[in-house]
Amino acid sequence: KEGIKLDIFYTSGGAENIQPVVTGNADFGWGNGTSGVLSAYEKGAKIKIVAAAFTGVELFWYVKADSPYKKFTDLAGKKVGFSRPGSSTNMVLLRMSELSGIKVEAVPTGGIPENYTAVMTGQIAAGWSVPPQRIDEIRKGTLRIIAQGADFPDLQGMTIRVHIANTDFLKQ
């Protein structure tokens, strides 16, 4: 209606979402992990944050229902999944670990389907998701939530995802 032509494509998140904007192959990037964007910007990437995408934490981490781990602090020293380096899941997992006073082995395991596979096959102790994904398995008793954003009040005001634009495109 407005004469705007969009060429939409998808990435797996984290730095993979930032890279096309940095190189000018995309004008905008949606829902990028804030820490990854700030890191790229600090290193001279031609990007600018144009809007907050999500403030607060809707993410949760889960284990198999029969797992011996009952709370987040039980995961000390264990392999815990996140999507990609520089992603919102990476930033939140590291902050939850810091706030809990424990150190987990943070493992980049990819998206929601890959985390589920890694948890169910024992490759990691806990994986991440967001509603409504994995809620059916939780209701059926296959999985159990071990940590969620609401457990960490310090995270509720944090902007975990931002929208970015290539600075050359913004100048035009």
Side-chain angles (χ1 to χ4, degrees), residues 58-74:
E58 84 287 23
L59 300 165
F60 63 87
W61 273 259
Y62 62 86
V63 296
K64 288 196 290 189
D66 62 355
S67 167
Y69 312 117
K70 304 296 182 198
K71 55 190 184 299
F72 186 75
T73 53
D74 294 340

Side-chain angles (χ1 to χ4, degrees), residues 2-56:
E2 301 299 327
I4 298 172
K5 182 182 179 291
L6 297 176
D7 181 13
I8 300 171
F9 61 94
Y10 299 89
T11 68
S12 297
E16 187 178 325
N17 199 29
I18 299 168
Q19 197 61 35
V21 180
V22 169
T23 61
N25 291 316
D27 298 324
F28 291 96
W30 304 100
N32 305 280
T34 305
S35 62
V37 169
L38 293 175
S39 177
Y41 179 80
E42 180 185 12
K43 290 177 176 43
K46 298 166 89 177
I47 55 175
K48 183 174 182 168
I49 294 173
V50 294
F54 198 92
T55 299

Side-chain angles (χ1 to χ4, degrees), residues 1 18 27 47 62 78 84 90 101 123 130 149 152 157 161:
K1 177 181 174 184
I18 299 168
D27 298 324
I47 55 175
Y62 62 86
K78 305 297 181 211
R84 302 263 185 296
N90 186 192
Q123 297 172 62
V130 294
F152 299 88
R161 291 193 197 116

Side-chain angles (χ1 to χ4, degrees), residues 45 64 79 98 120 129:
K64 288 196 290 189
K79 292 180 180 180
E98 182 181 3
M120 298 310 283
S129 190

Side-chain angles (χ1 to χ4, degrees), residues 57-63 70-73 75 80 92-93 96 100 126-129 144-152:
V57 179
E58 84 287 23
L59 300 165
F60 63 87
W61 273 259
Y62 62 86
V63 296
K70 304 296 182 198
K71 55 190 184 299
F72 186 75
T73 53
L75 296 173
V80 180
V92 170
L93 177 59
M96 287 182 351
S100 298
W128 71 274
S129 190
R144 182 169 29 84
I145 292 177
I146 195 163
Q148 53 191 338
D151 298 339
F152 299 88

